[in-house]
Amino acid sequence: MSLLEISDLEAGYETGQVLFGVDLAVEENEVVSLLGRNGAGKTTTMHAIVGADVPRVLGGSMTFDGQDLRARRNYEISGLGLSLVPEGRRCFRDLTVEENLRLAANHATDPLSVEEMLDQFPELEEMRDRPSKNMSGGEQQMLAIARSLVTNPELILLDEPCEGLAPYIVRRIESIIEDINAERDVSVLLVEQNVAVAMAVAERHYILDEGEIVTEVSTAELREDEALRQEYLGV
Ligand code: ATP
């Protein structure tokens, strides 16, 4: 059994169905990417997994560590060891770095220590008393990842962590993803528009198009298959 198993997932909004039978799996200690053009349904998939109020799940099954995700509410799902870092970071703007981390830790069942997080992210340690609204996009992204990591998850869902970031910060985010996987045994499901980032950090890739998984490929296959990248990812 896989750590995360999504089978035949159908989901959408009041305006219409977006996902049409999505199948995907993430194994323990694995980094997997979910790729696709704008509007393919990547964020919808992530939100459906964590039980966000929108979108509505219409059919299919989702299990994490063998537990039925569809039977649980959003706040219960984080307690299972699954954590979403949403697109756009969404840190609490008026809270400092340390306060953002403490708040996340206080809501977790078995958190790591905030000091351990600040040790792992020296950039954040330097600005621990700064409100997150006064941080750069890259620094906020690190805080968003640290806030997720402090809850001690087995799987992190990362939604477009590199969106809008300068190349040197993108490299730093890549190394953070590699570290949390290698050193902390955390699995990652990564949504990215930046295919190079996905190929740098993930071993397997699902390609989503118009709400359906069209194929699953290894990094080597994705690198070699220019036609596939052109058709579904536009690169
Ligand atoms: P992007 O890379 O642009 O974020 P995506 O692959 O993550 O794209 P989704 O955000 O999942 O795509 O959107 C899939 C479809 O669902 C799109 O047609 C989008 O307009 C629609 N959609 C997304 N959020 C909502 C919402 N809250 N209400 C209605 N429709 C929505």
Side-chain angles (χ1 to χ4, degrees), residues 170-212:
V170 170
R171 296 291 89 75
R172 176 72 180 119
I173 301 291
E174 283 177 1
S175 81
I176 288 170
I177 296 170
E178 283 162 357
D179 286 351
I180 62 182
N181 176 246
E183 291 170 15
R184 297 188 178 272
D185 293 342
V186 175
S187 300
V188 177
L189 178 60
L190 171 73
V191 159
E192 253 310 327
Q193 288 284 340
N194 186 333
V195 181
V197 171
M199 290 198 293
V201 300
E203 299 142 48
R204 289 192 299 124
H205 312 268
Y206 290 97
I207 300 195
L208 188 66
D209 189 55
E210 297 185 355
E212 293 182 55

mmCIF file of all heavy atoms in Angstrom, residues 170-212:
data_model
loop_
_atom_site.group_PDB
_atom_site.id
_atom_site.type_symbol
_atom_site.label_atom_id
_atom_site.label_comp_id
_atom_site.label_asym_id
_atom_site.label_seq_id
_atom_site.Cartn_x
_atom_site.Cartn_y
_atom_site.Cartn_z
ATOM 1 N N VAL A 170 15.207 29.911 -6.141
ATOM 2 C CA VAL A 170 14.675 28.638 -6.640
ATOM 3 C C VAL A 170 15.653 27.508 -6.284
ATOM 4 O O VAL A 170 15.246 26.443 -5.822
ATOM 5 C CB VAL A 170 14.419 28.701 -8.162
ATOM 6 C CG1 VAL A 170 14.110 27.320 -8.722
ATOM 7 C CG2 VAL A 170 13.280 29.678 -8.469
ATOM 8 N N ARG A 171 16.961 27.755 -6.458
ATOM 9 C CA ARG A 171 17.970 26.731 -6.099
ATOM 10 C C ARG A 171 17.882 26.395 -4.609
ATOM 11 O O ARG A 171 17.984 25.247 -4.209
ATOM 12 C CB ARG A 171 19.399 27.229 -6.389
ATOM 13 C CG ARG A 171 19.774 27.505 -7.825
ATOM 14 C CD ARG A 171 19.874 26.263 -8.679
ATOM 15 N NE ARG A 171 18.596 25.912 -9.285
ATOM 16 C CZ ARG A 171 18.046 26.554 -10.312
ATOM 17 N NH1 ARG A 171 18.653 27.554 -10.890
ATOM 18 N NH2 ARG A 171 16.877 26.180 -10.791
ATOM 19 N N ARG A 172 17.676 27.420 -3.788
ATOM 20 C CA ARG A 172 17.587 27.205 -2.333
ATOM 21 C C ARG A 172 16.347 26.372 -1.993
ATOM 22 O O ARG A 172 16.411 25.471 -1.162
ATOM 23 C CB ARG A 172 17.550 28.578 -1.627
ATOM 24 C CG ARG A 172 17.359 28.521 -0.135
ATOM 25 C CD ARG A 172 18.607 28.007 0.607
ATOM 26 N NE ARG A 172 18.336 27.978 2.043
ATOM 27 C CZ ARG A 172 18.369 26.879 2.786
ATOM 28 N NH1 ARG A 172 18.700 25.723 2.259
ATOM 29 N NH2 ARG A 172 18.100 26.934 4.073
ATOM 30 N N ILE A 173 15.228 26.668 -2.662
ATOM 31 C CA ILE A 173 14.003 25.901 -2.397
ATOM 32 C C ILE A 173 14.221 24.436 -2.828
ATOM 33 O O ILE A 173 13.815 23.509 -2.131
ATOM 34 C CB ILE A 173 12.779 26.511 -3.137
ATOM 35 C CG1 ILE A 173 12.536 27.967 -2.703
ATOM 36 C CG2 ILE A 173 11.520 25.652 -2.943
ATOM 37 C CD1 ILE A 173 12.047 28.171 -1.302
ATOM 38 N N GLU A 174 14.897 24.249 -3.958
ATOM 39 C CA GLU A 174 15.212 22.874 -4.396
ATOM 40 C C GLU A 174 16.015 22.146 -3.323
ATOM 41 O O GLU A 174 15.732 20.997 -2.994
ATOM 42 C CB GLU A 174 16.044 22.895 -5.686
ATOM 43 C CG GLU A 174 15.248 23.181 -6.938
ATOM 44 C CD GLU A 174 16.140 23.261 -8.183
ATOM 45 O OE1 GLU A 174 17.381 23.082 -8.070
ATOM 46 O OE2 GLU A 174 15.597 23.524 -9.255
ATOM 47 N N SER A 175 17.019 22.830 -2.771
ATOM 48 C CA SER A 175 17.856 22.128 -1.790
ATOM 49 C C SER A 175 17.078 21.871 -0.499
ATOM 50 O O SER A 175 17.288 20.861 0.174
ATOM 51 C CB SER A 175 19.176 22.858 -1.541
ATOM 52 O OG SER A 175 19.003 23.903 -0.647
ATOM 53 N N ILE A 176 16.137 22.758 -0.167
ATOM 54 C CA ILE A 176 15.292 22.519 1.019
ATOM 55 C C ILE A 176 14.440 21.267 0.792
ATOM 56 O O ILE A 176 14.314 20.415 1.673
ATOM 57 C CB ILE A 176 14.411 23.757 1.307
ATOM 58 C CG1 ILE A 176 15.268 24.893 1.860
ATOM 59 C CG2 ILE A 176 13.279 23.410 2.277
ATOM 60 C CD1 ILE A 176 14.557 26.233 1.952
ATOM 61 N N ILE A 177 13.863 21.147 -0.405
ATOM 62 C CA ILE A 177 13.028 19.968 -0.699
ATOM 63 C C ILE A 177 13.884 18.701 -0.593
ATOM 64 O O ILE A 177 13.475 17.702 0.007
ATOM 65 C CB ILE A 177 12.374 20.080 -2.095
ATOM 66 C CG1 ILE A 177 11.401 21.275 -2.138
ATOM 67 C CG2 ILE A 177 11.635 18.783 -2.465
ATOM 68 C CD1 ILE A 177 10.885 21.619 -3.525
ATOM 69 N N GLU A 178 15.098 18.763 -1.170
ATOM 70 C CA GLU A 178 15.986 17.587 -1.104
ATOM 71 C C GLU A 178 16.324 17.245 0.346
ATOM 72 O O GLU A 178 16.304 16.081 0.743
ATOM 73 C CB GLU A 178 17.262 17.855 -1.916
ATOM 74 C CG GLU A 178 17.006 17.732 -3.405
ATOM 75 C CD GLU A 178 18.086 18.390 -4.267
ATOM 76 O OE1 GLU A 178 19.028 19.001 -3.717
ATOM 77 O OE2 GLU A 178 17.953 18.317 -5.489
ATOM 78 N N ASP A 179 16.587 18.274 1.162
ATOM 79 C CA ASP A 179 16.974 18.032 2.566
ATOM 80 C C ASP A 179 15.827 17.442 3.373
ATOM 81 O O ASP A 179 16.039 16.519 4.159
ATOM 82 C CB ASP A 179 17.396 19.346 3.244
ATOM 83 C CG ASP A 179 18.752 19.804 2.760
ATOM 84 O OD1 ASP A 179 19.422 19.026 2.053
ATOM 85 O OD2 ASP A 179 19.127 20.948 3.070
ATOM 86 N N ILE A 180 14.623 18.001 3.199
ATOM 87 C CA ILE A 180 13.538 17.481 4.043
ATOM 88 C C ILE A 180 13.213 16.037 3.668
ATOM 89 O O ILE A 180 12.787 15.249 4.498
ATOM 90 C CB ILE A 180 12.268 18.378 4.061
ATOM 91 C CG1 ILE A 180 11.644 18.518 2.694
ATOM 92 C CG2 ILE A 180 12.560 19.732 4.647
ATOM 93 C CD1 ILE A 180 10.420 19.425 2.694
ATOM 94 N N ASN A 181 13.455 15.692 2.412
ATOM 95 C CA ASN A 181 13.232 14.311 1.989
ATOM 96 C C ASN A 181 14.371 13.414 2.488
ATOM 97 O O ASN A 181 14.123 12.360 3.093
ATOM 98 C CB ASN A 181 13.112 14.263 0.467
ATOM 99 C CG ASN A 181 12.976 12.848 -0.039
ATOM 100 O OD1 ASN A 181 13.850 12.327 -0.717
ATOM 101 N ND2 ASN A 181 11.879 12.193 0.310
ATOM 102 N N ALA A 182 15.615 13.825 2.267
ATOM 103 C CA ALA A 182 16.752 12.954 2.592
ATOM 104 C C ALA A 182 16.997 12.880 4.093
ATOM 105 O O ALA A 182 17.292 11.817 4.636
ATOM 106 C CB ALA A 182 18.005 13.455 1.877
ATOM 107 N N GLU A 183 16.884 14.021 4.788
ATOM 108 C CA GLU A 183 17.267 14.038 6.204
ATOM 109 C C GLU A 183 16.107 13.740 7.135
ATOM 110 O O GLU A 183 16.295 13.258 8.241
ATOM 111 C CB GLU A 183 17.872 15.400 6.567
ATOM 112 C CG GLU A 183 19.217 15.611 5.901
ATOM 113 C CD GLU A 183 19.715 17.038 6.040
ATOM 114 O OE1 GLU A 183 19.181 17.788 6.869
ATOM 115 O OE2 GLU A 183 20.638 17.383 5.280
ATOM 116 N N ARG A 184 14.901 14.064 6.686
ATOM 117 C CA ARG A 184 13.752 13.888 7.593
ATOM 118 C C ARG A 184 12.783 12.819 7.104
ATOM 119 O O ARG A 184 11.721 12.621 7.702
ATOM 120 C CB ARG A 184 13.006 15.212 7.765
ATOM 121 C CG ARG A 184 13.853 16.287 8.417
ATOM 122 C CD ARG A 184 13.058 17.504 8.749
ATOM 123 N NE ARG A 184 13.874 18.500 9.401
ATOM 124 C CZ ARG A 184 14.078 18.558 10.723
ATOM 125 N NH1 ARG A 184 13.514 17.671 11.507
ATOM 126 N NH2 ARG A 184 14.833 19.493 11.243
ATOM 127 N N ASP A 185 13.121 12.191 5.972
ATOM 128 C CA ASP A 185 12.274 11.115 5.426
ATOM 129 C C ASP A 185 10.849 11.582 5.129
ATOM 130 O O ASP A 185 9.897 10.804 5.236
ATOM 131 C CB ASP A 185 12.210 9.910 6.374
ATOM 132 C CG ASP A 185 13.558 9.223 6.495
ATOM 133 O OD1 ASP A 185 14.412 9.451 5.616
ATOM 134 O OD2 ASP A 185 13.747 8.478 7.464
ATOM 135 N N VAL A 186 10.688 12.851 4.799
ATOM 136 C CA VAL A 186 9.355 13.366 4.474
ATOM 137 C C VAL A 186 9.123 13.176 2.970
ATOM 138 O O VAL A 186 9.990 13.495 2.155
ATOM 139 C CB VAL A 186 9.239 14.866 4.844
ATOM 140 C CG1 VAL A 186 7.897 15.440 4.403
ATOM 141 C CG2 VAL A 186 9.428 15.057 6.339
ATOM 142 N N SER A 187 7.968 12.635 2.613
ATOM 143 C CA SER A 187 7.600 12.529 1.190
ATOM 144 C C SER A 187 7.045 13.865 0.724
ATOM 145 O O SER A 187 6.507 14.639 1.528
ATOM 146 C CB SER A 187 6.527 11.463 1.000
ATOM 147 O OG SER A 187 7.000 10.214 1.425
ATOM 148 N N VAL A 188 7.163 14.105 -0.566
ATOM 149 C CA VAL A 188 6.699 15.388 -1.111
ATOM 150 C C VAL A 188 5.910 15.140 -2.388
ATOM 151 O O VAL A 188 6.350 14.388 -3.261
ATOM 152 C CB VAL A 188 7.901 16.325 -1.427
ATOM 153 C CG1 VAL A 188 7.424 17.629 -2.070
ATOM 154 C CG2 VAL A 188 8.716 16.621 -0.167
ATOM 155 N N LEU A 189 4.739 15.756 -2.474
ATOM 156 C CA LEU A 189 4.011 15.829 -3.740
ATOM 157 C C LEU A 189 4.092 17.285 -4.167
ATOM 158 O O LEU A 189 3.575 18.177 -3.500
ATOM 159 C CB LEU A 189 2.553 15.382 -3.581
ATOM 160 C CG LEU A 189 1.687 15.478 -4.848
ATOM 161 C CD1 LEU A 189 2.242 14.630 -5.987
ATOM 162 C CD2 LEU A 189 0.243 15.063 -4.551
ATOM 163 N N LEU A 190 4.787 17.503 -5.287
ATOM 164 C CA LEU A 190 5.124 18.854 -5.725
ATOM 165 C C LEU A 190 4.338 19.233 -6.974
ATOM 166 O O LEU A 190 4.403 18.537 -7.981
ATOM 167 C CB LEU A 190 6.625 18.890 -6.053
ATOM 168 C CG LEU A 190 7.172 20.128 -6.738
ATOM 169 C CD1 LEU A 190 7.233 21.295 -5.750
ATOM 170 C CD2 LEU A 190 8.569 19.857 -7.302
ATOM 171 N N VAL A 191 3.621 20.341 -6.899
ATOM 172 C CA VAL A 191 3.021 20.922 -8.104
ATOM 173 C C VAL A 191 3.937 22.035 -8.572
ATOM 174 O O VAL A 191 4.332 22.882 -7.770
ATOM 175 C CB VAL A 191 1.605 21.478 -7.790
ATOM 176 C CG1 VAL A 191 1.183 22.500 -8.829
ATOM 177 C CG2 VAL A 191 0.585 20.354 -7.731
ATOM 178 N N GLU A 192 4.317 22.006 -9.840
ATOM 179 C CA GLU A 192 5.221 23.038 -10.363
ATOM 180 C C GLU A 192 4.897 23.389 -11.813
ATOM 181 O O GLU A 192 4.585 22.525 -12.607
ATOM 182 C CB GLU A 192 6.682 22.559 -10.305
ATOM 183 C CG GLU A 192 7.527 23.199 -9.247
ATOM 184 C CD GLU A 192 7.480 24.713 -9.200
ATOM 185 O OE1 GLU A 192 7.332 25.353 -10.259
ATOM 186 O OE2 GLU A 192 7.570 25.273 -8.104
ATOM 187 N N GLN A 193 4.980 24.668 -12.126
ATOM 188 C CA GLN A 193 4.971 25.093 -13.533
ATOM 189 C C GLN A 193 6.388 24.979 -14.088
ATOM 190 O O GLN A 193 6.587 24.811 -15.282
ATOM 191 C CB GLN A 193 4.539 26.569 -13.651
ATOM 192 C CG GLN A 193 3.076 26.826 -13.376
ATOM 193 C CD GLN A 193 2.191 26.395 -14.529
ATOM 194 O OE1 GLN A 193 2.669 26.248 -15.643
ATOM 195 N NE2 GLN A 193 0.923 26.177 -14.258
ATOM 196 N N ASN A 194 7.357 25.109 -13.174
ATOM 197 C CA ASN A 194 8.762 25.079 -13.569
ATOM 198 C C ASN A 194 9.217 23.615 -13.657
ATOM 199 O O ASN A 194 9.554 22.979 -12.662
ATOM 200 C CB ASN A 194 9.569 25.850 -12.507
ATOM 201 C CG ASN A 194 11.020 26.012 -12.902
ATOM 202 O OD1 ASN A 194 11.562 25.185 -13.647
ATOM 203 N ND2 ASN A 194 11.646 27.053 -12.407
ATOM 204 N N VAL A 195 9.223 23.096 -14.888
ATOM 205 C CA VAL A 195 9.504 21.671 -15.100
ATOM 206 C C VAL A 195 10.940 21.333 -14.678
ATOM 207 O O VAL A 195 11.210 20.237 -14.185
ATOM 208 C CB VAL A 195 9.258 21.290 -16.578
ATOM 209 C CG1 VAL A 195 9.523 19.815 -16.813
ATOM 210 C CG2 VAL A 195 7.827 21.631 -16.965
ATOM 211 N N ALA A 196 11.860 22.302 -14.844
ATOM 212 C CA ALA A 196 13.255 22.055 -14.459
ATOM 213 C C ALA A 196 13.348 21.774 -12.962
ATOM 214 O O ALA A 196 14.115 20.907 -12.525
ATOM 215 C CB ALA A 196 14.127 23.251 -14.836
ATOM 216 N N VAL A 197 12.578 22.499 -12.166
ATOM 217 C CA VAL A 197 12.578 22.266 -10.713
ATOM 218 C C VAL A 197 12.050 20.870 -10.424
ATOM 219 O O VAL A 197 12.637 20.113 -9.644
ATOM 220 C CB VAL A 197 11.713 23.329 -9.985
ATOM 221 C CG1 VAL A 197 11.535 22.966 -8.511
ATOM 222 C CG2 VAL A 197 12.337 24.710 -10.113
ATOM 223 N N ALA A 198 10.952 20.513 -11.076
ATOM 224 C CA ALA A 198 10.367 19.182 -10.849
ATOM 225 C C ALA A 198 11.381 18.094 -11.211
ATOM 226 O O ALA A 198 11.540 17.110 -10.479
ATOM 227 C CB ALA A 198 9.088 19.020 -11.671
ATOM 228 N N MET A 199 12.093 18.287 -12.327
ATOM 229 C CA MET A 199 13.062 17.263 -12.748
ATOM 230 C C MET A 199 14.261 17.228 -11.805
ATOM 231 O O MET A 199 14.884 16.183 -11.626
ATOM 232 C CB MET A 199 13.503 17.515 -14.192
ATOM 233 C CG MET A 199 12.379 17.238 -15.180
ATOM 234 S SD MET A 199 12.934 17.006 -16.878
ATOM 235 C CE MET A 199 13.546 18.620 -17.278
ATOM 236 N N ALA A 200 14.576 18.369 -11.181
ATOM 237 C CA ALA A 200 15.730 18.405 -10.271
ATOM 238 C C ALA A 200 15.444 17.669 -8.961
ATOM 239 O O ALA A 200 16.347 17.084 -8.379
ATOM 240 C CB ALA A 200 16.119 19.859 -9.973
ATOM 241 N N VAL A 201 14.204 17.702 -8.509
ATOM 242 C CA VAL A 201 13.954 17.160 -7.156
ATOM 243 C C VAL A 201 13.119 15.889 -7.110
ATOM 244 O O VAL A 201 13.189 15.148 -6.129
ATOM 245 C CB VAL A 201 13.309 18.222 -6.217
ATOM 246 C CG1 VAL A 201 14.218 19.434 -6.058
ATOM 247 C CG2 VAL A 201 11.929 18.643 -6.692
ATOM 248 N N ALA A 202 12.297 15.642 -8.156
ATOM 249 C CA ALA A 202 11.364 14.500 -8.076
ATOM 250 C C ALA A 202 11.859 13.316 -8.893
ATOM 251 O O ALA A 202 12.589 13.474 -9.873
ATOM 252 C CB ALA A 202 9.976 14.926 -8.556
ATOM 253 N N GLU A 203 11.436 12.117 -8.460
ATOM 254 C CA GLU A 203 11.850 10.894 -9.170
ATOM 255 C C GLU A 203 10.827 10.502 -10.223
ATOM 256 O O GLU A 203 11.167 9.954 -11.264
ATOM 257 C CB GLU A 203 11.959 9.739 -8.167
ATOM 258 C CG GLU A 203 12.990 9.972 -7.083
ATOM 259 C CD GLU A 203 12.530 9.439 -5.728
ATOM 260 O OE1 GLU A 203 12.061 8.288 -5.664
ATOM 261 O OE2 GLU A 203 12.637 10.187 -4.735
ATOM 262 N N ARG A 204 9.559 10.770 -9.922
ATOM 263 C CA ARG A 204 8.466 10.411 -10.841
ATOM 264 C C ARG A 204 7.592 11.627 -11.050
ATOM 265 O O ARG A 204 7.526 12.511 -10.178
ATOM 266 C CB ARG A 204 7.584 9.315 -10.230
ATOM 267 C CG ARG A 204 8.200 7.968 -10.150
ATOM 268 C CD ARG A 204 7.155 6.907 -9.811
ATOM 269 N NE ARG A 204 6.514 7.127 -8.529
ATOM 270 C CZ ARG A 204 5.216 7.244 -8.349
ATOM 271 N NH1 ARG A 204 4.382 7.186 -9.377
ATOM 272 N NH2 ARG A 204 4.706 7.432 -7.134
ATOM 273 N N HIS A 205 6.887 11.635 -12.178
ATOM 274 C CA HIS A 205 6.078 12.804 -12.533
ATOM 275 C C HIS A 205 4.758 12.331 -13.129
ATOM 276 O O HIS A 205 4.744 11.486 -14.033
ATOM 277 C CB HIS A 205 6.818 13.663 -13.566
ATOM 278 C CG HIS A 205 8.238 13.918 -13.189
ATOM 279 N ND1 HIS A 205 8.634 15.028 -12.476
ATOM 280 C CD2 HIS A 205 9.365 13.180 -13.391
ATOM 281 C CE1 HIS A 205 9.942 14.959 -12.259
ATOM 282 N NE2 HIS A 205 10.406 13.848 -12.803
ATOM 283 N N TYR A 206 3.678 12.897 -12.618
ATOM 284 C CA TYR A 206 2.365 12.678 -13.229
ATOM 285 C C TYR A 206 2.051 13.898 -14.084
ATOM 286 O O TYR A 206 2.272 15.033 -13.647
ATOM 287 C CB TYR A 206 1.285 12.544 -12.162
ATOM 288 C CG TYR A 206 1.373 11.264 -11.372
ATOM 289 C CD1 TYR A 206 1.998 11.233 -10.131
ATOM 290 C CD2 TYR A 206 0.823 10.084 -11.860
ATOM 291 C CE1 TYR A 206 2.077 10.060 -9.393
ATOM 292 C CE2 TYR A 206 0.891 8.901 -11.135
ATOM 293 C CZ TYR A 206 1.520 8.906 -9.902
ATOM 294 O OH TYR A 206 1.587 7.736 -9.175
ATOM 295 N N ILE A 207 1.505 13.647 -15.267
ATOM 296 C CA ILE A 207 1.116 14.771 -16.121
ATOM 297 C C ILE A 207 -0.395 14.815 -16.212
ATOM 298 O O ILE A 207 -1.050 13.840 -16.613
ATOM 299 C CB ILE A 207 1.778 14.653 -17.501
ATOM 300 C CG1 ILE A 207 3.287 14.657 -17.255
ATOM 301 C CG2 ILE A 207 1.338 15.800 -18.411
ATOM 302 C CD1 ILE A 207 4.160 14.897 -18.396
ATOM 303 N N LEU A 208 -0.913 15.968 -15.784
ATOM 304 C CA LEU A 208 -2.357 16.171 -15.714
ATOM 305 C C LEU A 208 -2.768 17.085 -16.862
ATOM 306 O O LEU A 208 -2.125 18.114 -17.109
ATOM 307 C CB LEU A 208 -2.674 16.836 -14.373
ATOM 308 C CG LEU A 208 -4.122 16.990 -13.951
ATOM 309 C CD1 LEU A 208 -4.773 15.629 -13.699
ATOM 310 C CD2 LEU A 208 -4.213 17.835 -12.674
ATOM 311 N N ASP A 209 -3.819 16.700 -17.554
ATOM 312 C CA ASP A 209 -4.317 17.548 -18.633
ATOM 313 C C ASP A 209 -5.841 17.492 -18.634
ATOM 314 O O ASP A 209 -6.409 16.396 -18.668
ATOM 315 C CB ASP A 209 -3.760 17.058 -19.984
ATOM 316 C CG ASP A 209 -4.078 18.025 -21.100
ATOM 317 O OD1 ASP A 209 -3.723 19.208 -20.970
ATOM 318 O OD2 ASP A 209 -4.687 17.597 -22.098
ATOM 319 N N GLU A 210 -6.440 18.656 -18.578
ATOM 320 C CA GLU A 210 -7.906 18.745 -18.556
ATOM 321 C C GLU A 210 -8.525 17.764 -17.555
ATOM 322 O O GLU A 210 -9.497 17.070 -17.855
ATOM 323 C CB GLU A 210 -8.476 18.545 -19.967
ATOM 324 C CG GLU A 210 -7.996 19.655 -20.903
ATOM 325 C CD GLU A 210 -8.609 19.585 -22.294
ATOM 326 O OE1 GLU A 210 -9.339 18.622 -22.590
ATOM 327 O OE2 GLU A 210 -8.340 20.502 -23.069
ATOM 328 N N GLY A 211 -7.912 17.725 -16.363
ATOM 329 C CA GLY A 211 -8.493 16.940 -15.273
ATOM 330 C C GLY A 211 -8.262 15.449 -15.347
ATOM 331 O O GLY A 211 -8.872 14.690 -14.584
ATOM 332 N N GLU A 212 -7.363 15.004 -16.255
ATOM 333 C CA GLU A 212 -7.054 13.570 -16.324
ATOM 334 C C GLU A 212 -5.546 13.370 -16.333
ATOM 335 O O GLU A 212 -4.815 14.157 -16.948
ATOM 336 C CB GLU A 212 -7.641 12.948 -17.603
ATOM 337 C CG GLU A 212 -9.151 12.944 -17.608
ATOM 338 C CD GLU A 212 -9.703 12.274 -18.864
ATOM 339 O OE1 GLU A 212 -9.332 11.113 -19.122
ATOM 340 O OE2 GLU A 212 -10.471 12.936 -19.564
#
